[in-house]
Amino acid sequence: MQMKDTLRLLLILAAGIFFRLYNLLFFHYMTADECVYTQAVFALTKGCVPYKDIFIAHPLLYFLIEYPFIYFSPSLLSARLVSILLSVGTMLLVFHTANNLYSRSTALLALAFFALSPYVLYYNKLAVVENAVLFFISLTLYFFFRYCKTGGEKNIFACGFFS
């Protein structure tokens, strides 16, 4: 990667991370879904068994990802920080997927659209399951397109595993 492209990549990532972290705790009250999901994870940290002691309406993976954050610091910041980290991972996957399929300039443009879109910024700040879904779909697509371009059993296995 050229120095200009690296600088552009870092600036877009920094702007995306900044806008996701900016006013994280005060931009919006907790939504009903955030409350339910965070309460479910908090119950898991206290020893409750999913689907026996507490009802969880979604697959357990997101709750397990959020578990260590809520376990060590049960707060709104730790609940929403998981979504921020997943969205940063999705930003990187958008860049790498577009870079594998097209040119670097197209990949930077795709990253900028994803990183700075107001609608995406709003939902990436919320502690909801959809951020994990978006991350794993992006990861699946990354490995699928990599398999289509280069082949390899590892890529198609990773595609199936993450889907």
Side-chain angles (χ1 to χ4, degrees), residues 66-153:
E66 198 172 85
Y67 182 91
F69 292 87
I70 299 296
Y71 181 78
F72 290 112
S73 174
S75 65
L76 178 60
L77 176 64
S78 60
R80 287 185 173 170
L81 191 60
V82 174
S83 293
I84 301 295
L85 294 174
L86 288 168
S87 71
V88 170
T90 305
M91 283 192 285
L92 293 171
L93 287 167
V94 165
F95 173 76
H96 285 296
T97 302
N99 193 30
N100 284 337
L101 293 173
Y102 304 104
S103 65
R104 251 186 221 119
S105 58
T106 305
L108 288 170
L109 187 62
L111 174 63
F113 278 133
F114 181 81
L116 303 174
S117 170
Y119 187 74
V120 175
L121 284 168
Y122 175 79
Y123 277 99
N124 281 168
K125 286 183 170 191
L126 299 177
V128 291
V129 174
E130 287 79 2
N131 291 313
V133 171
L134 181 62
F135 174 76
F136 285 108
I137 288 173
S138 300
L139 198 56
T140 300
L141 289 173
Y142 170 76
F143 282 111
F144 176 74
F145 289 130
R146 196 165 148 189
Y147 170 76
C148 289
K149 188 172 183 179
T150 63
E153 290 179 2

